Amino acid sequence: QPAVCSGLGIARMCQLLLGCTTMALVAHGAGFSATYGTYCMFVWCFCFAVTLVIFMLDITRLHGCMPISWDNLTVSFAMLSTLMYVTASVVYPVYFLSTECPSEGCETRDYRIAVTACSSVCSFAYAAEVFLTRAKPGHVVGYMATLSGLLKVIQAFVACIIFGALANDGEYNGHIPMQYCVVVYSLCFAVTVVVIAMTLSGRTSALRFPFDRFVVVYTFLAALLYLSTAVIWPIFSFDRKYGTSTRPDDCPRGECPWDSKLVVTVFTQVNLVLYFSDLIYSQRIRFVSQSPA
């Protein structure tokens, strides 16, 4: 079946249409500014550009000339794009949309409402691609199409959110245990990215050690490390002996260290759940090494 006429092709055409519409609305009337606006615009531009490349390579079948596992690459990117679009669809209205008309006029507010709507719908288009290409019973698929593989992408993305909060005046230099937490975040993120990269290369079967067992052992260790940070970080962030349990009244929105610590705490718990879920599920699947498509 032609790539354009398949369900996957329709999903990608919807992604391109909605992504292009979102960027056009922002450029024409909605506008963006500051770090959060720049992030949202980067998400829309990056996802549109990569989706266009994937769509063209899929139509022309030129991806067969690339030394990568194509199916693993596309499902990983679809999962990443879903997460990026969801965050952009939340961040943009939070910082740029209000019930009252801005100084630029009510037309600008209407454009921003349209941007939020298009971005939200586009996130469902990427989620549809993940749904269509995910692992199904009785089908041999690449590791990234399994729940464990998709969880790896989510874990790396959540770690990026943690790093963003740490960079926004996370105040972790004052205590050695908090520095230990940052080391754990960095180490787990780095190994997760290596696992994803090795899988996308399609060369895991050429390694001198069983890659599937390595992934399981690493996931177990990462879950234990995150368990320790889930205990240590909140204590040294909000215990009265080391910090403050309540948000200071004079903390500016978007630049408050207490807010950054809270974000790190929440997403540490999220990643802890993700790693334990990954560990449980990884016991139930059989890793399939793929050669490049």
Side-chain angles (χ1 to χ4, degrees), residues 162-184:
I162 293 175
F163 292 142
L166 290 172
N168 189 27
D169 200 9
E171 293 186 347
Y172 56 85
N173 289 322
H175 303 286
I176 293 179
M178 297 183 77
Q179 295 176 15
Y180 158 80
C181 293
V182 176
V183 171
V184 169

Side-chain angles (χ1 to χ4, degrees), residues 24-33 37 41 44 92 96 108 111-112 115:
L25 289 170
V26 173
H28 182 68
F32 68 97
S33 61
M41 196 60 180
W44 297 321
Y92 190 81
F96 296 98
T108 300
Y111 273 112
R112 290 175 178 175
V115 167

Side-chain angles (χ1 to χ4, degrees), residues 4-236:
V4 177
C5 301
S6 65
L8 191 57
I10 293 173
R12 287 175 180 162
M13 285 191 289
C14 290
Q15 294 162 10
L16 292 171
L17 176 62
L18 291 166
C20 185
T21 302
T22 302
M23 291 186 295
L25 289 170
V26 173
H28 182 68
F32 68 97
S33 61
T35 304
Y36 298 104
T38 303
Y39 165 77
C40 293
M41 196 60 180
F42 167 77
V43 167
W44 297 321
C45 294
F46 170 76
C47 292
F48 176 81
V50 178
T51 301
L52 181 60
V53 172
I54 289 176
F55 187 68
M56 296 303 297
L57 289 174
D58 199 30
I59 291 178
T60 58
R61 301 298 179 185
L62 289 176
H63 61 77
C65 303
M66 302 173 66
I68 57 173
S69 177
W70 179 251
D71 292 338
N72 279 324
L73 173 65
T74 53
V75 71
S76 300
F77 173 73
M79 186 73 252
L80 177 63
S81 298
T82 302
L83 297 169
M84 294 178 74
Y85 256 91
V86 168
T87 55
S89 300
V90 173
V91 169
Y92 190 81
V94 166
Y95 286 94
F96 296 98
L97 192 59
S98 63
T99 55
E100 299 179 357
C101 294
S103 57
E104 297 88 345
C106 291
E107 185 178 358
T108 300
R109 182 194 62 181
D110 296 339
Y111 273 112
R112 290 175 178 175
I113 293 174
V115 167
T116 303
C118 286
S119 181
S120 301
V121 175
C122 195
S123 65
F124 284 101
Y126 280 106
E129 180 176 347
V130 176
F131 178 79
L132 291 171
T133 55
R134 78 195 190 286
K136 303 176 183 66
H139 292 75
V140 177
V141 296
Y143 173 69
M144 297 308 298
T146 66
L147 179 59
S148 185
L150 295 174
L151 285 173
K152 289 289 188 295
V153 178
I154 303 174
Q155 291 159 8
F157 184 78
V158 170
C160 289
I161 296 177
I162 293 175
F163 292 142
L166 290 172
N168 189 27
D169 200 9
E171 293 186 347
Y172 56 85
N173 289 322
H175 303 286
I176 293 179
M178 297 183 77
Q179 295 176 15
Y180 158 80
C181 293
V182 176
V183 171
V184 169
Y185 300 141
S186 303
L187 177 63
C188 293
F189 172 76
V191 179
T192 298
V193 171
V194 169
V195 169
I196 294 174
M198 289 298 299
T199 306
L200 296 185
S201 72
R203 303 293 181 183
T204 55
S205 58
L207 297 174
R208 295 185 178 181
F209 57 87
F211 190 68
D212 54 335
R213 294 182 183 178
F214 166 77
V215 171
V216 173
V217 172
Y218 155 66
T219 304
F220 173 71
L221 294 176
L224 292 181
L225 289 172
Y226 258 92
L227 180 61
S228 65
T229 60
V231 175
I232 293 173
W233 184 269
I235 291 177
F236 283 86

